[in-house]
Amino acid sequence: MTTNADGTAQDPQDPQVPKQPRRRAPAGAAVLREDVTEAIRAAVFEELAAVGYARMSIEGIARRAGVGKTAVYRRWRSKLHLVLDLVSAIAVQGLPAPDTGTLEGDLRLLYEVTSRALRHPVASQIIPDLQAEAARNPDIAEAMQKALREGQEGVASGIVAAAEARGEVRMGIDEELALDMISGPLYWRAVVIRSPKLPKGYLESLARATAVALKAL
């Protein structure tokens, strides 16, 4: 029950009682569409691969995504924040953790997945470009380091821990050195010298040699 201005009671169910207008959501409260967000993210990768970070622009990203610049700026303040967000997302996604039951098998599977990812046409263009930009921009450098460490090294740490539990490597192995040995060779060949094609049987040989080296630590 409510009260009229003259103090008498008023039944809210009475059809004669005027209904209170519903509150409308403020104009700025619109929900960001996930399909638009994903289209923008895909456009960023394409733009990075096509023109590089230095020449990448919000206009170019919006054009590739088929949206207006406003849609991009509603989600990210600048192209730097956009790229940092994407690099950080890669770290969160990570790589699948191998579980083959042997150290060599786990390494082989890790190398197969990593090799495909690093040698993807888009990734092979983006990673070297962002590395070069990281030398000039500490924010990008931090994001790249986080992505690489939490992605590749996170999985590698799991491989070493599983090998310890199976007794394939000694307990208390130097984990930092082990991670360098696991991640270094393939990254060097695929990203630093950018070898166009891996030699036949390279991943099998690398997994075998790395397993032997780890067992010797």
Side-chain angles (χ1 to χ4, degrees), residues 24-115:
R24 300 178 64 181
V31 177
L32 298 178
R33 287 173 50 186
E34 185 61 27
D35 60 330
V36 173
T37 302
E38 289 305 314
I40 294 172
R41 285 175 172 152
V44 172
F45 284 115
E46 294 172 3
E47 190 76 356
L48 275 172
V51 303
Y53 178 82
R55 295 175 58 196
M56 185 179 76
S57 67
I58 296 297
E59 291 82 356
I61 294 169
R63 186 166 51 252
R64 285 182 183 273
V67 300
K69 290 190 298 181
T70 303
V72 181
Y73 281 120
R74 287 181 65 197
R75 292 162 172 81
W76 297 277
R77 287 181 289 167
S78 66
K79 72 174 187 178
L80 173 61
H81 289 90
L82 208 168
V83 170
L84 292 179
D85 177 58
L86 292 185
V87 172
S88 298
I90 293 173
V92 173
Q93 292 173 2
L95 295 169
D99 185 18
T100 66
T102 67
L103 174 58
E104 185 176 330
D106 287 352
L107 290 171
R108 168 67 187 279
L109 186 56
L110 173 65
Y111 289 149
E112 288 178 351
V113 173
T114 304
S115 177

Side-chain angles (χ1 to χ4, degrees), residues 4 6-7 10 42 98 101 122 156 175 188:
N4 293 319
D6 60 3
Q10 184 182 70
V122 174
E175 186 170 313
W188 169 266

